[in-house]
Amino acid sequence: MKKKIGFVAIGQAGGNIGKLFEDKGFSVLYLNTSQEDLQTLKNAKYTYHIAGGEGCNKDRAKAKRLVMEDFDNISKEIYEKMDVSMIYVVFAAGGGTGSGCGPMLIDLLLGDIAAGESKVESVGAITVIPSEKESPKTQINCYECFEELTAISSIASVMIIDNSKGDKLILNQHLVNVFYNFIEIPNRHKDERGNIDRAEIEETLKSKGMLIVTEIPAKESTTAAVLESFKKSVFAPIEPDRVIKYISISIAGAVDVDAMRKEIGIPVDVFQTYNEKATICCLAGLNYPKTRLESVYGKAVENQEQIIKNLQAVSDSGMKKNVNFLASVKAAPSADAPKQKTSRRDLLKKYMG
């Protein structure tokens, strides 16, 4: 599985997470508008400085323009450096380079897939919600970023770190560790009662919606402890709507999956195996964390008049109260449906308003 998954890490926060994945042996390409930020990535194998970039200073629009103008070279770097079937684009939702580039780059890569111009099969995201203590500009950027991210219809799973849950570097490390242990299940966990194979891991990762993974030592593994682990995890909170597509779980201890389903919802399928060390549980196809994002909105507009006065220009699209992050869940197009690639001009209009 490790050879099938690659990471495109954008901006400083994305680079920090990407380096942890590279240390685990994954293929990682680092993109940044700041040459100085790229230089801090010691021993990084693949880096690319986005043409014309000198940093974006939390200016999402600037980052978008730079990516659009340089996409031919960016995509060439991705496809030449990364021989993988699945890509996760990694970025902080509240920054400038990553927040501005992330959703647009995902859309552009998915356009290449639809047009048959890429060997990559799916594109997902790993992103970060800022803590409540971070600046109003950071909150506004995050809200705008999620407006765009949640509107991408063909995106695969999205993992969302919530920086309000602790030290960001520790949270990053924990996500990388649990993700790695999850995809290693087919190699490490074999049991006569049932196994999880690579195809099931891939199916889980490719499902649209929020994905979370937790891990509990065997001696602490109970149904209640697994359910509690979702609340204590590094990920954004699960919505109480009981929407879920897959439960993928390797059980160590007394964990009742049927009892879990009564609490979190009835999935389309359950992939299950057993081991003796730790319970690793992945929930996939969850709705985006609307409640948490509403709190981001609240922080962004808490002192709205003063923010507008100070910044002089705040995009209206990030300030609309009526944005529904769970709106219009459309059925995925059938495999036989004709696929059309959206032109870059149309995408630029979409992302630049």
Side-chain angles (χ1 to χ4, degrees), residues 152-205:
I152 301 174
S153 60
S154 300
I155 193 171
S157 61
V158 177
M159 288 173 273
I160 306 170
I161 299 174
D162 187 346
N163 270 357
S164 68
K165 293 193 172 183
D167 179 86
K168 62 182 67 177
L169 297 181
I170 295 174
L171 298 177
N172 293 348
Q173 184 70 68
H174 188 75
L175 176 139
V176 172
N177 288 342
V178 295
F179 179 85
Y180 179 72
N181 290 341
F182 172 66
I183 68 165
E184 283 291 297
I185 286 175
N187 293 333
R188 297 177 177 178
H189 302 171
K190 309 288 185 182
D191 193 278
E192 61 184 9
R193 291 169 288 180
N195 291 303
I196 296 176
D197 59 33
R198 291 178 180 83
E200 290 166 335
I201 296 290
E202 287 187 48
E203 181 70 16
T204 302
L205 297 179

Side-chain angles (χ1 to χ4, degrees), residues 19 22 28 30 38 40-47:
K19 196 65 179 66
E22 187 171 19
V28 181
Y30 303 89
L38 287 174
T40 66
L41 298 167
K42 303 300 182 184
N43 301 316
K45 188 174 183 180
Y46 301 126
T47 63

Side-chain angles (χ1 to χ4, degrees), residues 54 84 130 141 161 189 219 224 227 236 238 247 260 264 295 339:
E54 297 178 354
V84 296
N141 281 355
I161 299 174
H189 302 171
K219 62 182 180 180
L227 292 171
I238 300 172
I247 297 175
M260 285 176 54
I264 62 177
S295 73
K339 296 178 179 179

Side-chain angles (χ1 to χ4, degrees), residues 68-344:
M68 187 62 71
E69 291 167 1
D70 199 31
F71 181 68
D72 285 338
N73 292 322
I74 293 171
S75 61
K76 182 180 179 181
E77 286 289 314
I78 293 172
Y79 301 144
E80 287 184 353
K81 300 294 194 302
M82 309 182 77
D83 183 18
V84 296
S85 60
M86 182 173 194
I87 287 175
Y88 278 101
V89 178
V90 189
F91 56 95
T97 299
S99 177
C101 294
M104 174 182 275
L105 182 59
I106 291 168
D107 230 347
L108 286 164
L109 294 174
L110 289 171
D112 282 354
I113 294 173
E117 298 175 3
S118 169
K119 294 181 180 180
V120 176
E121 297 174 3
S122 63
V123 183
I126 298 175
T127 190
V128 183
I129 293 179
S131 74
E132 294 89 342
K133 297 178 181 179
E134 296 190 53
S135 72
K137 178 61 174 175
T138 302
Q139 309 294 335
I140 291 169
N141 281 355
C142 176
Y143 197 77
E144 289 182 333
C145 181
F146 269 92
E147 283 185 307
E148 297 167 357
L149 187 66
T150 58
I152 301 174
S153 60
S154 300
I155 193 171
S157 61
V158 177
M159 288 173 273
I160 306 170
I161 299 174
D162 187 346
N163 270 357
S164 68
K165 293 193 172 183
D167 179 86
K168 62 182 67 177
L169 297 181
I170 295 174
L171 298 177
N172 293 348
Q173 184 70 68
H174 188 75
L175 176 139
V176 172
N177 288 342
V178 295
F179 179 85
Y180 179 72
N181 290 341
F182 172 66
I183 68 165
E184 283 291 297
I185 286 175
N187 293 333
R188 297 177 177 178
H189 302 171
K190 309 288 185 182
D191 193 278
E192 61 184 9
R193 291 169 288 180
N195 291 303
I196 296 176
D197 59 33
R198 291 178 180 83
E200 290 166 335
I201 296 290
E202 287 187 48
E203 181 70 16
T204 302
L205 297 179
K206 289 179 179 179
S207 60
K208 180 184 177 182
M210 187 171 72
L211 179 147
I212 72 172
V213 186
T214 62
E215 182 172 357
I216 304 172
K219 62 182 180 180
E220 301 172 17
S221 290
T222 64
T223 305
V226 173
L227 292 171
E228 185 65 19
S229 74
F230 303 143
K231 300 176 183 178
K232 294 180 177 180
S233 76
V234 304
F235 298 92
I238 300 172
E239 287 295 298
D241 52 21
R242 297 173 56 82
V243 171
I244 184 171
K245 189 170 184 180
Y246 295 120
I247 297 175
S248 298
I249 185 168
S250 181
I251 297 173
V255 178
D256 186 337
V257 175
D258 286 335
M260 285 176 54
R261 290 192 291 191
K262 292 178 182 178
E263 294 294 326
I264 62 177
I266 307 300
V268 175
D269 207 349
V270 175
F271 307 129
Q272 185 171 326
T273 189
Y274 302 85
N275 75 95
E276 297 180 353
K277 293 184 178 181
T279 295
I280 302 171
C281 184
C282 176
L283 307 182
L286 303 167
N287 269 328
Y288 292 108
K290 179 181 177 181
T291 303
R292 177 67 177 89
L293 293 169
E294 283 297 324
S295 73
V296 170
Y297 170 86
K299 287 294 179 181
V301 300
E302 192 171 46
N303 298 294
Q304 184 173 351
E305 291 184 6
Q306 188 63 43
I307 292 169
I308 294 173
K309 179 180 177 181
N310 289 346
L311 297 180
Q312 300 297 313
V314 176
S315 172
D316 286 340
S317 63
M319 307 293 286
K320 293 178 181 177
K321 179 64 174 176
N322 63 354
V323 170
N324 180 3
F325 288 95
L326 307 178
S328 303
V329 179
K330 298 179 180 179
S334 69
D336 297 328
K339 296 178 179 179
Q340 296 182 341
K341 182 177 179 179
T342 304
S343 72
R344 291 185 196 168

